[in-house]
Amino acid sequence: MKLFATALLATAAWGGAIAAQPEDQITKTLAERIPQLQKVDEVKATPMKGLYEVRIGTDVFYSNATGDYLIQGELIDTKAQRNLTEDRINQLTAVDFKQLPFDDAIKIVRGKGERQIAVFEDPNCGYCKRFERDLQNVDNVTIHMFLYPILSRDSVEKSRNIWCAKDSAAAWHNYMLKDKAPAAASCDIDAIQRNLALGRKHKITGTPTLIFADNSRVPGAIPAHEVEKYLAKAHKN
């Protein structure tokens, strides 16, 4: 009887050791049932008991412990008054300014250029044109302008002509400030494709999008005095 009990305990311990953890079970179940979820990057518990975060790239879903139910939506912490899903996506899509591929951007220096900003812009974006006009009032700044043609096929063509121009900065300003279309030009435009991939990775869905040296991110056109505030704060840090 004692031998049987010992064997039973050993079997239970072995079974516990090989039982699938929720993270593994969720990954397995989703891969079997949903072809689009064959590659799950991460599964981890959330603050809500029994609910797990399922991350695919920068997309976030939620599941129960077995993967039988999948939720697409936002998780709100009502006590802390925080949108946990939004916080997580912001964390996943955060841009490290120092790691930006500046060689893929048009560099514009005003004054000493001591302060820095990166801007993702589409040449056909009306808000970008307004932003560029206002940005003329900002001095002592280095602007890294990443061509980001997401609005139309014509945006791609204009971006190519600007990037391939002999003086790309002048071509950009002539179009955005004077509405002077860039002359047809051709060259290697892999940089623009890399910009698009970078934007998708960090969920840059609108133009202009501004990134400051302290990694602050601002979607949309803001006036010069607001740009000054962000530049001052970033430069101080």
Side-chain angles (χ1 to χ4, degrees):
M1 187 73 175
K2 184 178 179 181
L3 182 62
F4 175 76
T6 302
L8 187 62
L9 286 171
T11 302
W14 175 253
I18 63 173
Q21 295 297 310
E23 292 83 354
D24 297 328
Q25 183 62 54
I26 291 168
T27 300
K28 181 176 181 293
T29 301
L30 294 179
E32 289 174 350
R33 297 177 182 175
I34 306 177
Q36 298 93 323
L37 301 183
Q38 290 289 329
K39 189 179 185 306
V40 172
D41 294 305
E42 182 183 15
V43 177
K44 66 176 188 176
T46 71
M48 180 177 172
K49 186 177 180 180
L51 189 70
Y52 291 80
E53 176 193 295
V54 179
R55 180 178 67 82
I56 302 170
T58 56
D59 292 324
V60 172
F61 304 89
Y62 299 100
S63 170
N64 68 330
T66 58
D68 289 325
Y69 298 95
L70 190 67
I71 302 169
Q72 183 176 16
E74 296 182 336
L75 181 62
I76 310 294
D77 183 335
T78 58
K79 184 177 181 180
Q81 295 290 296
R82 294 184 67 88
N83 185 325
L84 301 183
T85 306
E86 185 178 88
D87 288 349
R88 179 66 169 140
I89 291 175
N90 287 342
Q91 179 189 46
L92 292 170
T93 59
V95 178
D96 184 344
F97 186 88
K98 293 180 180 178
Q99 297 301 315
L100 284 171
F102 297 114
D103 287 344
D104 291 343
I106 296 172
K107 185 177 179 180
I108 302 162
V109 181
R110 297 215 181 95
K112 294 181 179 180
E114 295 173 317
R115 305 176 300 174
Q116 296 194 72
I117 181 176
V119 190
F120 286 75
E121 298 189 80
D122 185 307
N124 282 331
C125 164
Y127 292 106
C128 296
K129 290 183 177 181
R130 187 181 74 185
F131 173 74
E132 284 291 335
R133 287 193 295 270
D134 219 25
L135 196 59
Q136 302 306 301
N137 298 312
V138 178
D139 197 16
N140 187 22
V141 63
T142 296
I143 304 160
H144 305 277
M145 201 286 296
F146 290 84
L147 286 163
Y148 195 57
I150 58 174
L151 296 180
S152 68
R153 186 182 298 274
D154 182 60
S155 296
V156 177
E157 183 178 348
K158 284 191 174 77
S159 293
R160 183 197 67 223
N161 293 338
I162 291 168
W163 180 253
C164 296
K166 186 176 181 179
D167 186 339
S168 56
W172 171 254
H173 281 151
N174 283 337
Y175 182 64
M176 301 302 280
L177 302 177
K178 302 175 183 177
D179 205 28
K180 181 180 177 181
S186 61
C187 66
D188 184 342
I189 58 169
D190 285 350
I192 296 175
Q193 296 305 315
R194 288 192 293 268
N195 292 349
L196 291 169
L198 181 67
R200 286 192 294 269
K201 176 183 176 182
H202 294 287
K203 288 191 180 298
I204 296 176
T205 57
T207 56
T209 291
L210 290 53
I211 312 291
F212 293 87
D214 63 351
N215 302 333
S216 297
R217 174 169 166 171
V218 179
I222 58 175
H225 70 271
E226 288 293 331
V227 173
E228 284 286 0
K229 288 180 182 178
Y230 279 99
L231 286 173
K233 178 176 176 289
H235 190 59
K236 183 179 179 180
N237 293 338

